Each structure stands twice: as C-alpha cells, then as structure tokens.
Amino acid sequence: MVNILVLGGTDEARRLAAALAGRVGTHVVSSLAGRVRDPKLPVGEVHEGGFGGPGGLQAWIGERRIDVVVDATHPFAARMTASAVEATGRAGVPLLILRRPGWQAAPGDDWRWVPSLAAAAELLPALGERVFLTTGRRSLPVFAGLDGLWFLARSVDPPEPPAPRRLEVLLSRGPFTVRGELALMRHYRVDMLVTKDSGGEMTTAKLLAARDLGLPVVIVRRPPHPGGVPSAGTVEEALTWLEGTVGHVR
Ligand SMILES: NC(=O)c1ccc[n+]([C@@H]2O[C@H](COP(=O)([O-])OP(=O)(O)OC[C@H]3O[C@@H](n4cnc5c(N)ncnc54)[C@H](OP(=O)(O)O)[C@@H]3O)[C@@H](O)[C@H]2O)c1
C-alpha cells in the first residue's frame, strides 16, 4: 500500500483526491487547515487542522508511514508550502507541488501588479473610491484605516475586525459567472477590483467583467516557488508524476 498525503484547500486537491481514491494499492489522506466553517470536503480520509510546523508534519509523516506528499494548497499558502518542503526533506519522502498557473493579462486588461497586500492598499486611493476586494477575509486588516474609500469585500466566511470603516461584506463562494460579476460590479458602482494572482478557472469571471467595464485590477503577485522541488500545473500532470514516483517508492 502506498500512502499519499495531499495538502489541500483547493479545487485541484479535491480533484486529485477523487482521482486517486479508487486506485488499488493506494491510500490517500487529504489535509485541510480547518479555517473555513463549512469546507468543501474531498472524498476519502481527511485530516483537519495544522500539523504543528515542519517538525509536527515530519513526525506525522513518520507515524502515518506517508510515502509521498503532494502540496496542492493555494498558491498564497506560503507557510504550509515552506513547512512541507522542510518536513519532507527531513523525512526523506518525495514532494510534488501542484500549482495551477497564474493569470495572464490580455489586450483590454488594465492590471496593476503589486508585490504584497500592503502595496495594494497604498495604490488604491489613486484609482478611485469604491473598491471590490476579493483577497480573502483575513486580508481585511491591511485595508483598515483607508477611511476615504468604500469597500465591497467578498469572502466565504465573515471577516473579523480590524476592517475598513466603510465596508459591505458579501458572503459567497465561487465559481462565479461573467454575467453575475458584471451585474455585481455595476450594482455597487465599483471603481476597481483587488485580487491575488490565484489563477484557475473558478474566479476568472471577475477579471473578464473588469475588462468589459474598463476597470483597473490591482493584482498581488504570488509568493516565490521554492527552488528545487518538482511541480505540476494540473491534476493530470500530478497523476503522471505520482505514477512514476509511486512505482519508485513501492
Ligand atoms: N491563502 C489563500 O489565499 C487561500 C485561498 C484559498 C484557500 N486557501 C487554503 O486555506 C488553507 C490555509 O491557507 P493559509 O494561506 O492560511 O495557509 P498558510 O498561511 O500557508 O498556513 C498557515 C498554517 O496553517 C496550517 N495549514 C495550512 N494549510 C494546511 C493544510 N492544507 N493542511 C493542514 N494544515 C494547513 C499549517 O499549520 P501548521 O504549521 O500547524 O502545520 C500552516 O503552517 C490552505 O489549505 C489553503 O490551500 C488559502
């Protein structure tokens, strides 16, 4: 039996777990940070909650006799990725990073790349007054204090303070449609969109709607990919890598 740990919290992680679930000779456990109140669960065994840093993950890999780890976390879950690199290195088990490609601007887009959420906050007052914020509920403290701006913040769970003073929260989970995003942006008369470069299909509609409306998009660059670790851009590529690696660890 080959034991595979999938570090999850993304659509790709759920699809990978589903693809591996029925395979003979393979046991998959998916892990979630445990932050979302009602998460979309992957099929199969699920571990909820952190491991306690790289040392905790290394111990967990040993106890559960994990043979291979796939880090399929969100591209901005940099701490978990760093922890996975360190723990698998110490435990001597192979690691694959499954990351969907980032978004690419196309003609008609007005994208302003920034290195961090803090840099995004600095840029906003120059772009207008009404902000559509889609960077996650835990990013709101960065925008608190921008009292001259009004924010529409969309998140899966409600944000906690500190948050901008002039704020409307929209609790919602993707995928979204271009039509829906256009209607939403028009209804709230937003002047700009703020997003992380999450990539993937589930949330591209907002970018297409912003292009249609001629709105600037402030887009936060991804944290750097750790060097020397194999990576896959799609679930299919991850499965191909696993087939080679699982053959090797058996
Ligand atoms: N960051 C985003 O924008 C974003 C967006 C969508 C979904 N997500 C998902 O939400 C989760 C948390 O993201 P984050 O940005 O808060 O992560 P993070 O800052 O990189 O991780 C913080 C800590 O949370 C725990 N953790 C994170 N992901 C985990 C996982 N898949 N399984 C078990 N423990 C995990 C780890 O705790 P220990 O050190 O105790 O092991 C990690 O050190 C991830 O699963 C990610 O895929 C994140």
Side-chain angles (χ1 to χ4, degrees), residues 8-9 31-33 35 49-53 73-74 77-80 138 196:
S31 81
L32 298 175
R35 300 242 175 75
F51 297 96
T73 57
H74 189 271
R79 260 177 59 202
M80 189 66 250
R138 286 185 301 128
K196 294 172 177 170

Side-chain angles (χ1 to χ4, degrees), residues 75-157:
F76 281 79
R79 260 177 59 202
M80 189 66 250
T81 295
S83 187
V85 171
E86 196 177 329
T88 52
R90 285 201 225 147
V93 303
L95 169 69
L96 176 74
I97 297 184
L98 168 54
R99 280 283 177 287
R100 54 199 179 215
W103 288 315
Q104 305 280 332
D109 283 326
D110 175 9
W111 289 8
R112 321 288 175 101
W113 288 93
V114 289
S116 63
L117 287 165
E122 264 181 46
L123 183 60
L124 299 188
L127 300 178
E129 196 206 329
R130 298 176 69 82
V131 185
F132 183 20
L133 200 57
T134 62
T135 45
R137 70 186 169 109
R138 286 185 301 128
S139 68
L140 260 63
V142 178
F143 302 92
L146 290 171
D147 292 344
L149 304 183
W150 177 90
F151 290 86
L152 174 68
R154 181 166 66 194
S155 58
V156 176
D157 284 327

Side-chain angles (χ1 to χ4, degrees), residues 108-247:
D109 283 326
D110 175 9
W111 289 8
R112 321 288 175 101
W113 288 93
V114 289
S116 63
L117 287 165
E122 264 181 46
L123 183 60
L124 299 188
L127 300 178
E129 196 206 329
R130 298 176 69 82
V131 185
F132 183 20
L133 200 57
T134 62
T135 45
R137 70 186 169 109
R138 286 185 301 128
S139 68
L140 260 63
V142 178
F143 302 92
L146 290 171
D147 292 344
L149 304 183
W150 177 90
F151 290 86
L152 174 68
R154 181 166 66 194
S155 58
V156 176
D157 284 327
E160 282 155 25
R165 202 164 52 80
R166 299 168 62 207
L167 170 71
E168 181 154 341
V169 175
L170 202 59
L171 297 182
S172 184
R173 193 193 315 242
F176 304 100
T177 64
V178 179
R179 209 169 150 199
E181 299 289 54
L182 276 169
L184 185 78
M185 291 184 194
R186 283 196 179 112
H187 177 78
Y188 285 99
R189 295 177 288 108
V190 297
D191 299 318
M192 70 201 87
L193 167 70
V194 186
T195 180
K196 294 172 177 170
D197 178 19
S198 299
E201 300 292 313
M202 295 239 301
T203 52
T204 46
K206 63 188 174 189
L207 300 169
L208 301 177
R211 183 195 298 164
D212 255 34
L213 297 171
L215 297 181
V217 177
V218 178
I219 179 161
V220 183
R221 280 187 204 288
R222 293 176 169 200
H225 191 282
V229 180
S231 64
T234 63
V235 171
E236 292 66 34
E237 280 173 37
L239 286 167
T240 304
W241 181 89
L242 277 169
E243 269 153 28
T245 307
V246 164

Side-chain angles (χ1 to χ4, degrees), residues 15-35:
R15 288 196 285 120
L16 181 64
L20 291 169
R23 297 203 175 184
V24 178
T26 300
H27 178 78
V28 183
V29 51
S30 301
S31 81
L32 298 175
R35 300 242 175 75

